[in-house]
Amino acid sequence: MPTAYPFVDIEIDKSGLTPRVQPSTGVIAVVGATPDGASGGTAAANVPYVVTTPDEARALFGQDSVLQKALLLALTQDRVPQKVYGVRVKGTDHAAGLAALEAVDDVSVVCLAGVTDIGTETPPAGLHALRAHVEEISAKGLRRIGVAMIDPKVEKAPDYVAKVVTPALLKLRSDSGRMVLVAARGADADVAAATAAVIAAHPPHASLLLKQVKGVRIPKEKQYGPSEIIELSKAGLNPVIDPALIAGEGLHLAEGQTFTTDPAYGYIDLRRVVDHVEFLLRAGLIGSVGDARITRTGLTVLKQRTEGILGGLLRESVIAGFEVRLPVLEVLGRPEAEWTQADRDAVRVAREQRAVDVQTSITYGPAVHRLHVKLAVTY
């Protein structure tokens, strides 16, 4: 007979130790041109490079290229993104550089270094290439936001807003809230790259209103007046201002909105939160596919897993509330004798198709953007 030693056999199940995929909400990519030859750096064209220091940016993309300067701005904000990619392009072929990012699955914010040209829709060029990229790649499952700037060299004039907010510019609006447009008249640096870094460095639920943009200077005489700020904001742009009520000198975003045709995604933080929640649900529930059974016990575990994901967001104050419903589970939770024919059909179809509907809703509590204070004066 075989020996019984060591008497107790233990099989180790490591499935519970497999880490869940975490969202990369703080990763940016900057695509831009550099001079030809050695002065343009050692980077190959249309290849994404991770840049962690200013010295790396200079070595890869040259000493004074628009791409190197934009990366330097991204790396020197008060809050630095989790990761920064740089992509060198040949000439003005930004579409090719953006295409190189399609296989990079952790990028969440993209901008074009020094580009203010609106470009063409067909073929996509200029800022239209950025808009096409973020919308198309997001539709494929990699959710991204594009950040662009209007030309800071447009001079101050009574009709300034009409000059910059043109029908051609309005065509850059994203139907799904994936474009952000920044206005900074007289800025001496790439405010789009700086803003992209500011967005990525903050958590998804943080409003971008009055967040500081470092490394950019605007002469006092070039800065926007109150009426211009209001008109630019109404047009969906984010003016960069030096607020009188904030101590010291510093430039801040006067809005936190997207450049969109869909008012449902009118704010940057809302667009990012929806993307964030969607990713967490997909990553957190993938383990249930092929494992959870369409029974009362199996679907109860599925519901609890979903509530656990959303409960974590609730504890972190990303969301203010949530509800999870599984219609088939509600049927399975009742005695079978009480089922209606519609109930039986619902269970049968779910089991035949091996598909279960999970209905989730979240409540979002955004940051305050306006305060209306009533001041009563009496004797």
Side-chain angles (χ1 to χ4, degrees):
M1 296 178 62
T3 179
Y5 181 83
F7 310 110
V8 178
D9 292 327
I10 297 179
E11 180 179 346
I12 306 298
D13 179 4
K14 299 184 293 182
S15 61
L17 301 178
T18 303
R20 291 182 182 178
V21 177
Q22 296 300 313
S24 302
T25 59
V27 179
I28 74 169
V30 186
V31 179
T34 69
D36 293 333
S39 62
T42 60
N46 304 325
V47 176
Y49 291 86
V50 176
V51 182
T52 57
T53 66
D55 287 341
E56 284 185 359
R58 295 185 187 99
L60 287 167
F61 306 109
Q63 181 68 32
D64 293 311
S65 69
V66 292
L67 178 54
Q68 180 269 330
K69 291 178 180 178
L71 289 168
L72 188 62
L73 272 176
L75 292 169
T76 54
Q77 296 300 310
D78 280 344
R79 292 190 179 190
V80 180
Q82 296 171 359
K83 188 187 293 185
V84 178
Y85 286 96
V87 183
R88 180 184 188 180
V89 300
K90 292 183 178 180
T92 58
D93 192 5
H94 294 93
L98 291 166
L101 292 171
E102 291 182 1
V104 184
D105 60 6
D106 59 350
V107 173
S108 55
V109 185
V110 187
C111 69
L112 303 182
V115 175
T116 59
D117 180 33
I118 296 173
T120 58
E121 292 185 73
T122 309
L127 295 180
H128 272 295
L130 177 62
R131 175 183 177 273
H133 170 76
V134 295
E135 289 198 333
E136 291 172 6
I137 201 71
S138 296
K140 295 175 182 177
L142 298 179
R143 312 302 192 211
R144 291 178 184 171
I145 289 176
V147 182
M149 61 181 176
I150 63 172
D151 190 352
K153 296 184 179 65
V154 178
E155 292 293 336
K156 185 174 183 178
D159 59 346
Y160 172 82
V161 175
K163 283 184 177 180
V164 296
V165 183
T166 62
L169 185 78
L170 294 176
K171 289 184 179 180
L172 288 175
R173 290 182 296 183
S174 168
D175 294 335
S176 52
R178 299 206 169 274
M179 284 293 290
V180 174
L181 206 57
V182 187
R185 183 176 56 210
D188 65 350
D190 192 331
V191 71
T195 301
V198 171
I199 292 172
H202 283 81
H205 58 290
S207 169
L208 276 299
L209 177 64
L210 293 182
K211 296 302 183 287
Q212 189 169 14
V213 180
K214 301 294 287 292
V216 181
R217 292 181 177 84
I218 302 177
K220 285 288 186 183
E221 67 273 13
K222 301 272 189 178
Q223 293 181 17
Y224 296 123
S227 61
E228 291 175 314
I229 295 171
I230 293 171
E231 291 304 313
L232 289 169
S233 298
K234 287 181 179 179
L237 281 68
N238 297 281
V240 176
I241 64 172
D242 183 4
L245 297 179
I246 296 180
E249 292 186 3
L251 297 176
H252 299 71
L253 294 170
E255 275 291 355
Q257 58 190 348
T258 59
F259 197 52
T260 182
T261 59
D262 185 356
Y265 289 118
Y267 293 98
I268 301 169
D269 56 302
L270 178 58
R271 175 69 274 178
R272 296 181 73 212
V273 163
V274 172
D275 289 346
H276 184 56
V277 174
E278 178 193 15
F279 181 92
L280 290 177
L281 287 173
R282 292 168 62 193
L285 297 179
I286 188 66
S288 298
V289 178
D291 186 21
R293 306 188 68 83
I294 306 177
T295 62
R296 179 180 179 180
T297 301
L299 296 187
T300 297
V301 172
L302 175 60
K303 182 180 181 183
Q304 290 172 343
R305 179 175 290 188
T306 307
E307 291 173 337
I309 296 168
L310 297 178
L313 294 169
L314 180 63
R315 288 191 299 274
E316 296 170 1
S317 298
V318 177
I319 58 176
F322 68 88
E323 181 182 8
V324 179
R325 290 187 60 237
L326 281 73
V328 172
L329 176 59
E330 294 173 1
V331 175
L332 294 171
R334 301 196 303 270
E336 191 169 347
E338 297 179 5
W339 291 4
T340 65
Q341 186 58 45
D343 293 336
R344 298 180 190 279
D345 290 342
V347 174
R348 176 181 57 79
V349 169
R351 287 172 170 169
E352 284 179 352
Q353 298 182 356
R354 303 195 176 197
V356 174
D357 290 334
V358 181
Q359 299 175 0
T360 62
S361 64
I362 61 173
T363 301
Y364 183 52
V368 174
H369 277 205
R370 300 288 184 275
L371 285 176
H372 299 284
V373 179
K374 183 177 181 181
L375 177 62
V377 181
T378 62
Y379 287 106

